[in-house]
Amino acid sequence: MVLVMGQYSTGKTTFIKYLIEQDFPGSRVGPEPTTDCFTAIMHGETEGIIPGNALTVDPRMPFRNLNPFGNAFLNRFQCAQLPNQVLENISIIDTPGILTAAKRRLSRGYDFPAVLRWFAERVDRIVLLFDAHKLDFSDELTRAFAAVRGYEDKLRVVLNKADRVDSQQLMRVYGALMWSLGKVFPTPEVLRVYVGSFWSEPRRTCDHYQLLDAEEEDLLVDIRHLPRNAAMRKLNDLVKRARLVRAHAHIIGYLKQEMPTIFCKDSKKHNLIYQLPVIFTKIQQQDRVPAGDFPDCTKMQERLLGQDFSKFKVFKPSLMASLDKLLSTDIAKLMPLLQRQDPQRNKPLPGVLDGDFLGTFRPEHFKRHPFKERPPGDDDGGGGNKDPGGGGGGDTTRSSTACVPRDGKVSGTKAKEWMVNTNLPSSVLAHVWRLADVDCDGMLDNEEFALAMHLIEGKLEGHWLPRELPPHLVPPSKRLCESEEEDEEV
Ligand SMILES: Nc1ncnc2c1ncn2[C@@H]1O[C@H](COP(=O)(O)OP(=O)(O)OP(=O)(O)O)[C@@H](O)[C@H]1O
Ligand SMILES: [Ca+2]
């Protein structure tokens, strides 16, 4: 699950559409604050919207304990379901834009940062968007940062719309962003900032065009690996939680044991709260609980104030023994099982997230040699002309003959040179290429070329590309050998 957050109009909804390569129910995009709902975009057989209240009672959905945020929130929470291959592997949470004080006329009616934190805790990735064109740090933004603090390892920062500014401005904005992030996050050096323009529209030409391309791919690679690492991440979270439980159990057990049975309960309670830092140290030494497992002391003190200590449960060594066993042996047994599952998870993701595809379409491959194929042996595949354009599935045997020039065909290199002039992002062009090179020979014949033109024109007119080539678009000469191709695939 990926959480997408940021100031209003930074392009969150547009970013999501770019990832899933299609529109989703209930989405609106615009220059003013548009999204006012938390929307979980998930896979479903049919397209539709499930409202928040229904979501929290559905046992198949991971949203059941959002209930405490109340109706004000649940009325602003929904799930957009649609059949989409990307969503089979990844769910995405679109969030309402964070507003500047001037834009916020009404309060939201629910604890926005707390909801963000609820999601931040549970997702695999948090994508935080900024607008390079209009960078600013509002107070609600700073408060939202507090919500994701502690989850910096999941955080990826995106400096979006970077093609709208020139290189000099971009450097300034980047510097300002790092500076501001440094003030909010204690460890800004671990935050990765991706500079790009994450939408499927043509980019503006700018002198950092290649940088944007490389950065875009880096972020896509990161997201692409999420499903593979998700199980491991969950296990990691489980361990984290188990350790926290252990520390809490020791603390609560200690407090309970110190409480008098009859008199002066209240003063003893306050005394214990005051002593909490000392108690923490004591438990660390006595029970060998690492200091890093303890909760924040000040916060814990605040929380304890509202509790009745005499209602705390007595520390049970047998339960602690089970917890220790979980941490020391049970989890270790799970590891190999997760690794065994891996091959299945390695199956490539479709579309924009399909790595093989984008890899074959990196512009430097052909910008440097505009009129010839890459010389034999200069690629990592070794041995001969590796097809620069096609295959799509990384099938080297099929592509070994790809670059032999044949009459009436445009080579992949040349076609790409022409396609890149449209300024569409590489991921979109790679998609066009996959659809247009019907016979996967790394070249375009007349019909395939016309098909590529048609797809690009449609894209420029604002239509989404089809995921698979619909039968009526398959060039006539390719229709006959369809069954043959299927055999080949098998
Ligand atoms: N990469 C981009 N380059 C240029 N403009 C963009 C880009 N991405 C989005 N936009 C434009 O920015 C505006 C805001 O986009 P969008 O509605 O997706 O943002 P949002 O963050 O979801 O906003 P909100 O918080 O209001 O829901 C739209 O007009 C959109 O067309
Ligand atoms: Ca939006």
Side-chain angles (χ1 to χ4, degrees):
M1 201 177 266
V2 179
L3 176 69
V4 181
M5 57 179 275
Q7 197 118 27
Y8 74 94
S9 289
T10 46
K12 296 178 292 300
T13 305
T14 309
F15 173 77
I16 294 170
K17 290 198 207 178
Y18 164 73
L19 283 186
I20 65 172
E21 290 183 81
Q22 75 177 92
D23 211 345
F24 58 87
S27 82
R28 280 188 305 141
V29 163
E32 284 299 299
T34 42
T35 305
D36 64 349
C37 273
F38 278 81
T39 309
I41 300 126
M42 301 177 92
H43 180 77
E45 292 308 322
T46 51
E47 201 168 299
I49 289 189
I50 309 170
N53 273 303
L55 278 176
T56 56
V57 294
D58 187 340
R60 291 162 305 168
M61 290 286 186
F63 305 117
R64 299 183 83 184
N65 38 17
L66 273 168
N67 240 334
F69 291 106
N71 256 332
F73 166 68
L74 293 177
N75 290 336
R76 294 258 164 276
F77 177 47
Q78 61 185 22
C79 173
Q81 276 193 324
L82 60 156
N84 177 293
Q85 279 176 292
V86 174
L87 295 175
E88 281 174 18
N89 297 286
I90 294 177
S91 299
I92 309 175
I93 314 287
D94 193 8
T95 61
I98 296 164
L99 304 178
T100 48
K103 288 264 177 203
R104 195 179 33 187
R105 274 180 229 111
L106 290 170
S107 112
R108 293 186 195 268
Y110 60 90
D111 189 347
F112 179 68
V115 173
L116 277 182
R117 189 164 184 83
W118 189 93
F119 280 108
E121 193 184 333
R122 285 159 181 83
V123 297
D124 298 278
R125 200 46 95 234
I126 304 165
V127 179
L128 178 57
L129 273 85
F130 289 94
D131 187 339
H133 195 49
K134 211 174 59 191
L135 186 69
D136 82 289
F137 268 70
S138 67
D139 50 337
E140 195 179 27
L141 190 62
T142 316
R143 244 175 291 138
F145 283 152
V148 296
R149 214 173 282 153
Y151 303 109
E152 286 88 351
D153 55 325
K154 299 178 182 178
L155 194 60
R156 299 291 181 272
V157 180
V158 170
L159 192 53
N160 204 13
K161 310 191 191 179
D163 56 339
R164 310 258 137 176
V165 296
D166 63 32
S167 300
Q168 208 179 358
Q169 256 174 306
L170 181 63
M171 277 185 41
R172 274 198 219 113
V173 172
Y174 187 86
L177 177 64
M178 289 312 267
W179 168 259
S180 309
L181 287 174
K183 282 195 290 191
V184 191
F185 295 107
T187 50
E189 67 276 11
V190 301
L191 291 183
R192 170 74 157 94
V193 176
Y194 297 85
V195 181
S197 181
F198 292 86
W199 67 348
S200 49
E201 304 297 316
R203 304 241 180 82
R204 295 220 177 141
T205 25
C206 52
D207 25 353
H208 44 273
Y209 199 93
Q210 292 223 6
L211 171 76
L212 302 192
D213 231 43
E215 291 274 293
E216 170 182 318
E217 188 172 351
D218 279 359
L219 182 63
L220 296 180
V221 166
D222 183 75
I223 295 176
R224 190 182 306 146
H225 286 156
L226 288 178
R228 200 184 301 169
N229 301 333
M232 201 52 92
R233 203 264 314 158
K234 279 182 189 150
L235 191 65
N236 192 45
D237 280 358
L238 177 69
V239 173
K240 243 197 235 173
R241 208 169 169 86
R243 297 175 70 115
L244 197 62
V245 167
R246 178 169 61 182
H248 268 92
H250 279 293
I251 298 166
I252 301 299
Y254 185 95
L255 297 176
K256 170 76 180 175
Q257 168 205 318
E258 290 294 305
M259 282 304 277
T261 36
I262 310 171
F263 298 114
C264 310
K265 283 189 184 174
D266 225 40
S267 67
K268 182 68 185 174
K269 169 179 159 180
H270 284 97
N271 186 267
L272 283 171
I273 292 177
Y274 178 72
Q275 298 261 335
L276 202 62
V278 186
I279 296 175
F280 275 19
T281 324
K282 224 184 225 170
I283 296 175
Q284 281 165 32
Q285 286 162 355
Q286 270 176 14
D287 304 295
R288 303 192 173 282
V289 183
D293 290 359
F294 279 78
D296 180 77
C297 192
T298 326
K299 233 187 225 154
M300 189 74 180
Q301 285 171 316
E302 278 168 26
R303 286 276 177 101
L304 285 173
L305 270 176
Q307 304 292 326
D308 180 354
F309 284 20
S310 51
K311 292 223 174 93
F312 284 168
K313 296 258 163 43
V314 180
F315 183 87
K316 285 205 188 100
S318 63
L319 287 180
M320 187 53 72
S322 319
L323 190 61
D324 281 334
K325 179 168 165 289
L326 168 85
L327 284 168
S328 58
T329 55
D330 295 352
I331 301 260
K333 276 187 217 148
L334 277 175
M335 288 291 200
L337 292 178
L338 288 186
Q339 273 145 13
R340 216 174 303 153
Q341 234 186 20
D342 246 357
Q344 232 191 358
R345 297 189 165 270
N346 281 354
K347 103 178 167 214
L349 292 170
V352 161
L353 291 170
D354 179 345
D356 284 338
F357 233 28
L358 202 55
T360 59
F361 221 88
R362 252 175 246 135
E364 67 264 22
H365 287 178
F366 48 92
K367 279 213 174 126
R368 235 180 283 137
H369 318 281
F371 296 109
K372 59 179 174 132
E373 307 292 350
R374 285 194 294 157
D378 98 337
D379 56 36
D380 40 16
N385 280 337
K386 197 173 172 213
D387 162 32
D395 184 347
T396 42
T397 50
R398 197 197 287 165
S399 55
S400 59
T401 56
C403 294
V404 183
R406 258 180 269 155
D407 281 349
K409 290 201 176 190
V410 185
S411 72
T413 315
K414 278 201 173 182
K416 274 191 263 176
E417 203 187 320
W418 156 75
M419 284 160 82
V420 163
N421 283 335
T422 58
N423 279 354
L424 283 165
S426 300
S427 50
V428 171
L429 293 180
H431 189 165
V432 170
W433 180 270
R434 182 178 63 101
L435 295 175
D437 184 14
V438 180
D439 53 10
C440 299
D441 66 350
M443 292 193 259
L444 300 182
D445 62 19
N446 296 345
E447 288 172 338
E448 289 172 333
F449 189 81
L451 175 59
M453 291 243 306
H454 174 72
L455 292 169
I456 284 180
E457 273 169 18
K459 182 66 223 159
L460 292 175
E461 279 166 19
H463 301 290
W464 292 98
L465 291 169
R467 172 99 32 214
E468 297 300 334
L469 200 60
H472 71 273
L473 282 182
V474 176
S477 71
K478 304 288 184 301
R479 285 180 196 166
L480 291 172
C481 46
E482 244 170 32
S483 57
E484 214 175 282
E485 263 171 30
E486 263 165 31
D487 290 346
E488 214 179 301
E489 292 288 340
V490 171

